[in-house]
Amino acid sequence: MLSYAGRRILQLIPLLLIISFVVFVALEMTPGDPVTLLLGQNASPEAVADLRAKLGLDRPLVVQYLSFVANAVQGDLGISYRSGREVVAELARTAGVSATLATTGMLIAVLVGVGVGILAAVKQYSIIDTVTRVGVLTLVSLPVFWLAILLIIGFSVKWPIFPAFGWGTYLHLVLPAIALSTYPLAVIARLTRSSMLEVLGGDYIRTARAAGLPERTVVMKYALKNALVPVMTVIGLQFGALIGGAVLTETVFGIPGMGRLMVTAIEGRDYPVVRGAVLLGTVVFVVINLLVDVLYKWVDPRQRGV
Amino acid sequence: MNHIKGAWPRRGAVALALLTSLTLTGCGLSAGGDSEAAAPVAESKDVSLRIGTSADAQSLDPPNFSLTADFTRLDLLYDQLITLAPDGTPEPGLATSWKQDSDTEWTFEIRQGVKFSDGTDLTAEVVKTNLERASKAKQGSGYLGVIESVEATGNQVKVRLSKPFSGLLNNLSVPVAGIVSAKAIAEGEKDLSSRPVGTGPYVLKTWNPDELMVLERNENYWGEKPPVKTLEIVPIPEASTRYAALQSGDVHVIENPPPSELASIRASEDLTEVIEVKAQPVFLGFELKQVPDVKVRRAIAMAIDKEAIVSTVLEGVGEPATKGLIPPALISPSDEPITIPHDVEGAKRLMAEAGAKNVTLDLVVPTDYYLKDKEVAEVLKEQLKEIGVTANLKMQESGTWFTSLLEHKTQMYWLGWGMTAGDPADMLTRVFRSGAVNNMSGYAGSDEDIDRLALLPVKTKEREDLMNKIQRRLVMDDVVVVPVYHSTNFYATGAGVEGFHTRRSTLWDLSKITVRQK
């Protein structure tokens, strides 16, 4: 298991190199010049040339990339063009916020999604099942930003229970986490339901029932454990979608997270911040999926030899 | 979850919960109520005010600012040598008086008894350090690069320019020319972007980027102290959320409410809109090499119904540019309006005269940069269609858009030009002087007159007449641009808030504000 995890971590190195290079090239190809944007309408051509040289943007792309990699391995991701603050500090400031939001959103999605999925499967064709299936379809189709604004109008303006925006207390977390959780919740619920239905039809479940085990034990101990294996893979993948959703959620709710940092950075062509955020995002995504895979092997003995 | 009997799912859930609680503690979340919500306070001299803005500041170092959002904050934290009256007339700031010794030499008398927030005194030497620094700084050079040398003797500062420039006083009034403590500069310029040390009416108390900035009134301020004691600035990028925050009372004032909510703001008993002049014309420009026929350009100008655009698309948040390119607030009116009136039939005749058929022109427009730019562009397209011109809309993200314009990669462009320094000559020089970087049209027909502006003292009849002559040529004779509207500062205030005003170029005027208990 450990050597497997080690191997996966090592695979991260070439992946990060590739991703950072792609980001480098993509930013270079994006129209819009950081120096012009930075200096604005009143800049003199000399000032533009001067700043370009200062930021090292006048060097060939490969040279810029190599110096970026050389600094990055020493933990230096550069300085934000816009704010003049260290990129590492900017990421440190925002990553915790985004992690809290994403984890809470995922927690809601997993707890509710799995619960609803089980219920719908156990009570197949009942009213609960129908409501779940319709509900899941609705949630999957809801655009996050729209739902977010609806939640704000409902629970901050009409019934002022939660703050409309900002960060700082647990109350600030509720609406954004709910908005963020809907999509993965729907996906998890749907998958749990179908996976449970498949498992519940298995021979060993019939045997367990025939042996006179209580239905609760059959469902929760025998069926669920097997049904959740595919669900776990999806949870890992959904974290990726969650990172994307966090960009919108953070913007709508005015949360000082990494998604918002990145949007502002892209708009202002703040290359160092964009690169840093993409790299961190990649690491997080890979590590989460690694954790899921390790967990997967732990849960499913059939996978251990692979 | 009580019914789950299997061992691992419970462990998984516990682990996840643990992870959440760890990250929660890790980033300083606290349990409890919304202690930061702004409850309206009793009316008094010591009100606190919470403003929701569309963007956060980026850098608080005056000559190295980053965004226009920085301007409002710099304006509160720093003073400049000069302040501007609403009509653009220079008035004393940190300089009590000044005189122009020659075309290129000015002497300023520096105000006595002013202290920086770090306790140091304002002296002529400090001003010298600042002007020298600003004239070479990232942003400062764009305004003060013309300063060649500075000399401090006693209480006076003598400034020598590399060439005659009558707009110097105006440029010295811009937040970018804010005077910083020389001690703070010496201690480390890098820190200035997040730790401002000025003489302004406010001092920075806390700043969590993208979350909250708290300014406290400077109790040692040399000028008239503002009524607002604590000013909280919260960036809320999404307009609908900002509006909801205003409705729920989370903030007292918001910048740029969604224009679609204007009717509901007007209908509401609690909310008030604040729509005030801002020195920024927004116009349709032509790249002259690519649209060489002045008849076609004139026909396009005739096809555009400015009033309809402002009243329907902008919902009244703006002023139709029917008097000229230069905002009427900044110049004495010319004898006759400088505009090409809306006349579709005339435009069609002109197109026929020019022999122009099936004309297709690219129009590059930024997205979400100026008010409802996408919708305005759609209407422009429809209006041009009436005279047989097909506008091929290219909606570009703002960074891409500005580069397209600089590289002359379009036939028509949509652009606004802010006049922070309150001197329209600045725009004329930067946008319509041949060889200027920002001359997006490639125009070269007024160079001599534009150059003469730098020699004539500001706010004189001679200079204003000359500016009117230039803008008449730009708008009516050569049809380089079609001014469509003058943008306005747009704010909304909540229940019990009165007297919130703006000053030209997006600055806040907090001198008359009152906040009262519900």
Side-chain angles (χ1 to χ4, degrees), chain A residues 38 41-42 225 252 269, chain B residues 8 67 139 143 241 397 438:
Chain A
L38 209 55
Q41 300 178 332
N42 287 331
K225 197 167 171 179
V252 175
R269 304 287 186 276
Chain B
W8 73 265
L67 297 175
Q139 299 282 4
Y143 294 84
T241 315
E397 175 268 339
N438 294 310

Side-chain angles (χ1 to χ4, degrees), chain A residues 31-32 36 38-39 41-42 45 82 93 100 107 152 156 164 167-170 173 216 225 251-252 260 269 298, chain B residues 8 11 24 27 30-31 66-67 138-139 142-143 209-211 241 244 248 250 397 400 403 406 417 430 438:
Chain A
T36 318
L38 209 55
L39 292 180
Q41 300 178 332
N42 287 331
R82 287 265 159 189
R93 165 172 78 76
T100 309
L107 194 64
I152 292 173
S156 299
W167 194 248
T169 68
Y170 284 105
L173 191 56
R216 184 182 290 173
K225 197 167 171 179
T251 305
V252 175
R260 198 164 139 209
R269 304 287 186 276
W298 177 45
Chain B
W8 73 265
R11 250 185 279 163
L24 283 173
C27 54
S30 60
S66 193
L67 297 175
K138 194 172 85 183
Q139 299 282 4
Y143 294 84
D210 285 340
E211 190 183 344
T241 315
S248 67
D250 277 341
E397 175 268 339
T400 313
T403 314
L406 289 177
W417 201 270
R430 290 185 198 277
N438 294 310

Side-chain angles (χ1 to χ4, degrees), chain B residues 90-109:
Chain B
E91 289 181 347
L94 290 181
T96 50
S97 64
W98 53 88
K99 66 178 198 307
Q100 186 168 8
D101 307 317
S102 73
D103 274 353
T104 53
E105 284 182 320
W106 299 70
T107 308
F108 296 87
E109 195 79 27

Side-chain angles (χ1 to χ4, degrees), chain B residues 42-150:
Chain B
E43 186 173 343
S44 75
K45 277 295 278 175
D46 289 340
V47 297
S48 75
L49 186 77
R50 205 161 145 92
I51 302 185
T53 60
S54 36
D56 196 13
Q58 293 273 351
S59 164
L60 297 178
D61 181 14
N64 291 307
F65 78 92
S66 193
L67 297 175
T68 36
D70 297 346
F71 268 35
T72 42
R73 285 67 161 178
L74 289 175
D75 179 55
L76 299 167
L77 296 163
Y78 292 96
D79 290 313
Q80 298 80 33
L81 292 181
I82 307 290
T83 59
L84 283 189
D87 71 341
T89 307
E91 289 181 347
L94 290 181
T96 50
S97 64
W98 53 88
K99 66 178 198 307
Q100 186 168 8
D101 307 317
S102 73
D103 274 353
T104 53
E105 284 182 320
W106 299 70
T107 308
F108 296 87
E109 195 79 27
I110 303 305
R111 192 177 290 277
Q112 294 292 286
V114 177
K115 277 196 188 302
F116 287 96
S117 58
D118 63 358
T120 56
D121 288 317
L122 173 76
T123 62
E125 272 302 325
V126 174
V127 173
K128 174 181 147 78
T129 309
N130 271 274
L131 293 184
E132 284 173 348
R133 174 170 177 260
S135 68
K136 293 183 194 72
K138 194 172 85 183
Q139 299 282 4
S141 61
Y143 294 84
L144 301 173
V146 69
I147 294 178
E148 198 176 58
S149 67
V150 188

Side-chain angles (χ1 to χ4, degrees), chain A residues 63-84:
Chain A
V63 177
Q64 287 183 47
Y65 177 69
L66 291 178
S67 105
F68 166 75
V69 173
N71 288 326
V73 291
Q74 298 170 51
D76 175 12
L77 291 172
I79 286 171
S80 159
Y81 294 166
R82 287 265 159 189
S83 66

Side-chain angles (χ1 to χ4, degrees), chain A:
Chain A
M1 190 80 85
L2 271 181
S3 73
Y4 169 77
R7 241 190 358 258
R8 286 285 297 270
I9 297 272
L10 282 178
Q11 281 169 7
L12 195 58
I13 296 168
L15 181 70
L16 286 177
L17 281 173
I18 293 168
I19 297 261
S20 60
F21 190 71
V22 169
V23 172
F24 241 88
V25 174
L27 285 175
E28 184 67 22
M29 283 165 60
T30 317
D33 169 36
V35 177
T36 318
L37 288 175
L38 209 55
L39 292 180
Q41 300 178 332
N42 287 331
S44 63
E46 299 84 50
V48 171
D50 202 42
L51 186 63
R52 199 181 300 282
K54 214 185 226 169
L55 298 178
L57 289 168
D58 54 347
R59 298 172 301 169
L61 191 66
V62 179
V63 177
Q64 287 183 47
Y65 177 69
L66 291 178
S67 105
F68 166 75
V69 173
N71 288 326
V73 291
Q74 298 170 51
D76 175 12
L77 291 172
I79 286 171
S80 159
Y81 294 166
R82 287 265 159 189
S83 66
R85 291 186 283 262
E86 301 245 347
V87 173
V88 174
E90 291 283 79
L91 294 178
R93 165 172 78 76
T94 54
V97 172
S98 293
T100 309
L101 181 59
T103 319
T104 315
M106 204 37 146
L107 194 64
I108 297 175
V110 170
L111 294 184
V112 180
V114 170
V116 166
I118 295 171
L119 213 60
V122 173
K123 310 267 181 203
Q124 201 186 3
Y125 303 130
S126 71
I127 182 84
I128 297 175
D129 187 26
T130 314
V131 169
T132 303
R133 275 183 295 161
V134 174
V136 157
L137 265 182
T138 317
L139 286 186
V140 165
S141 335
L142 284 183
V144 173
F145 63 90
W146 182 76
L147 176 71
I149 288 169
L150 221 62
L151 286 172
I152 292 173
I153 293 173
F155 297 102
S156 299
V157 179
K158 202 129 185 104
W159 301 287
I161 305 169
F162 301 106
F165 69 95
W167 194 248
T169 68
Y170 284 105
L171 284 179
H172 284 104
L173 191 56
V174 178
L175 296 185
I178 291 175
L180 196 57
S181 71
T182 50
Y183 187 83
L185 189 158
V187 173
I188 290 169
R190 195 163 52 175
L191 192 71
T192 309
R193 178 183 174 274
S194 61
S195 174
M196 273 300 271
L197 283 176
E198 202 186 315
V199 172
L200 283 173
D203 290 343
Y204 66 99
I205 296 294
R206 202 175 42 220
T207 312
R209 280 180 179 147
L213 287 174
E215 185 63 13
R216 184 182 290 173
T217 313
V218 173
V219 171
M220 290 302 177
K221 189 162 181 184
Y222 291 82
L224 184 64
K225 197 167 171 179
N226 288 294
L228 280 187
V229 172
V231 175
M232 281 178 49
T233 315
V234 166
I235 292 175
L237 292 174
Q238 282 301 313
F239 247 106
L242 215 60
I243 294 172
V247 172
L248 287 171
T249 315
E250 287 173 7
T251 305
V252 175
F253 286 99
I255 293 171
M258 222 171 90
R260 198 164 139 209
L261 178 77
M262 192 140 149
V263 172
T264 322
I266 291 173
E267 278 172 357
R269 304 287 186 276
D270 197 342
Y271 291 175
V273 176
V274 178
R275 279 174 211 141
V278 170
L279 283 191
L280 184 59
T282 312
V283 173
V284 169
F285 188 66
V286 170
V287 168
I288 285 175
N289 278 285
L290 173 65
L291 283 178
V292 169
D293 286 354
V294 169
L295 220 60
Y296 196 79
K297 281 174 182 292
W298 177 45
V299 170
D300 187 352
R302 286 169 302 179
Q303 299 289 330
R304 281 184 202 154
V306 182

